[in-house]
Amino acid sequence: MIFMNIIDNAIALIQHNKTEEALEILSSEAKKADEQEQLDIAQIYIELGLIDRAEVLLTKIIGNNPSQSEAKIMLAEIYTDEQKEDKAISLLNEISEADPYYLQSLLQLADVYQVQGLNEVALTKLLEAKNIEPNEPLIDLALGELTFSLGDYQRASIYFQKLINDLDFSDDKNVISKLAESYALTGEFERSLQYYEQLDSDHPEVVFRYGFVAYQLERYELAVSIWEKLKEKELEYSSLYPYLTDAYEQTGQIELAFQTIEEGIQVDSLNKELYLIAAKLALKLNDLKKAINYAQQSIALDNEYEDAISFLLEAYKQDGDHSAIIDLLTKQVDVTVLNGLFEWELAKILVEEEMFDQALKHYRNAYNKLKYDSEFLKEYGYFLMEEGRKDEAITVLRSYIQLEPADFSVAEYLQRIIEDDDLTIL
């Protein structure tokens, strides 16, 4: 009782900004206090942020009584905060299984191992704790958080679901959010949506994921209503725009989709995918000029972006603009580093423009990448024959027949070439 009066007096002095006087009282009392009283003083030091004093006092307690587990728990927590994880682990491992503080030591060890990035070791400690106290919600929470961070969403959902059934956690927004996300990440979108609907959260990430789950379930109108509210509050949330755009498109609102993706470009002007989406929507709205313009901007950001190049190529074809195709594939992009199909497309256009020498160059480049594309080999073989390159044509058409042995017309044509070649030699 006398001790408590002294402690209360010290706390009162602190509350009246007489900290130095209070600390003198605590320091004096710590020298003559018993072990439990010293632990109480150490806790006061910790609460006051006087970690050095707490550390000295706890070290003294453990020195006097090496089996004092409560002091080890407290000191290990200080070591962890000071990034002295090895010291913390050493202390905690001194606590035996028979000790009342063993469970607490396991939980703290799990925390320390997580800090060190040793998540699998942390999981082992938590599972051991779970075995000791199978119905302790805080252990389920720790296991849920850890398995979630490890990407084991199936197990995480089990722990979070158990927590939801506990009165202390049934309304915990963090737990509900993690449960909803765990179900979403394992493809259980219906169950995920059920929990997102309970959240009523304003957090942008949570709201976005809520909309995404509705989107995955093809409930596009619901996704639109969720994401529209998010856009009102978080205009700069760039990840939202491609999905909201597609949701509008899925509900037949093409013009609104196009308007939305243009807004997204204003938010994230260096996102090549947004420009390509805008190009495709412009084409759906029969605005070929805008479609081409947006595709060009996409390629300007990444001249190896094959989806945008393919789109622009088809747009130019639709417009009948061969010169634009040649310019695209010879000046705007380095066609040699792309899929061989682009070299092939360029070769075909050059043939149409009667630029046969250049066409041959690009057919040969394409051949290095399309040796197993039967359609290409057939076309290339015939081109070589037309250019009087019979030996090359025979080699290419033989490769074609190996891939398409049932094409008897080409087989017969090849046979005639070979026979004519033999007659010429004779």
Side-chain angles (χ1 to χ4, degrees), residues 46 51 54-55 58-59 62 68-95 104-109 111-112 115:
I46 292 170
I51 304 303
E55 187 174 334
L58 290 168
T59 302
I62 295 168
Q68 180 33 267
S69 301
E70 186 179 356
K72 291 179 181 178
I73 292 288
M74 294 170 68
L75 185 55
E77 193 167 341
I78 290 173
Y79 284 150
T80 303
D81 291 340
E82 292 177 338
Q83 298 182 332
K84 299 175 181 176
E85 290 91 358
D86 290 342
K87 281 190 172 184
I89 290 170
S90 178
L91 264 183
L92 293 168
N93 278 328
E94 291 176 8
I95 300 174
Q104 181 63 34
S105 74
L106 289 173
L107 296 176
Q108 281 191 229
L109 277 168
D111 286 340
V112 176
V115 168

Side-chain angles (χ1 to χ4, degrees), residues 219-316:
R219 294 180 61 177
Y220 299 115
E221 291 182 359
L222 175 59
V224 164
S225 69
I226 294 166
W227 283 336
E228 281 179 338
K229 292 175 184 176
L230 175 59
K231 186 161 79 78
E232 285 177 12
K233 294 180 180 179
E234 298 287 339
L235 191 63
E236 301 295 314
Y237 196 95
S238 59
S239 302
L240 165 71
Y241 288 93
Y243 290 105
L244 179 55
T245 294
D246 190 60
Y248 280 135
E249 188 176 356
Q250 295 293 341
T251 55
Q253 302 177 81
I254 306 299
E255 290 186 3
L256 193 51
F258 184 60
Q259 176 187 323
T260 301
I261 204 63
E262 286 193 309
E263 291 173 359
I265 287 170
Q266 294 300 313
V267 171
D268 188 3
S269 61
L270 298 179
N271 189 327
K272 64 183 181 181
E273 286 88 0
L274 298 185
Y275 288 99
L276 181 56
I277 294 169
K280 291 177 179 179
L281 286 169
L283 194 61
K284 286 189 176 183
L285 292 169
N286 299 313
D287 193 334
L288 184 60
K289 184 177 178 181
K290 275 191 177 180
I292 288 172
N293 178 54
Y294 276 122
Q296 286 174 332
Q297 290 184 71
S298 181
I299 292 168
L301 290 169
D302 180 1
N303 65 0
E304 294 181 16
Y305 186 21
E306 294 189 354
D307 288 345
I309 296 168
S310 295
F311 176 87
L312 192 52
L313 184 61
E314 291 304 315
Y316 286 144

Side-chain angles (χ1 to χ4, degrees), residues 179-194:
L179 179 59
E181 191 175 356
S182 296
Y183 280 136
L185 289 167
T186 54
E188 295 188 63
F189 296 114
E190 290 286 0
R191 296 184 77 176
S192 176
L193 187 64
Q194 171 190 342

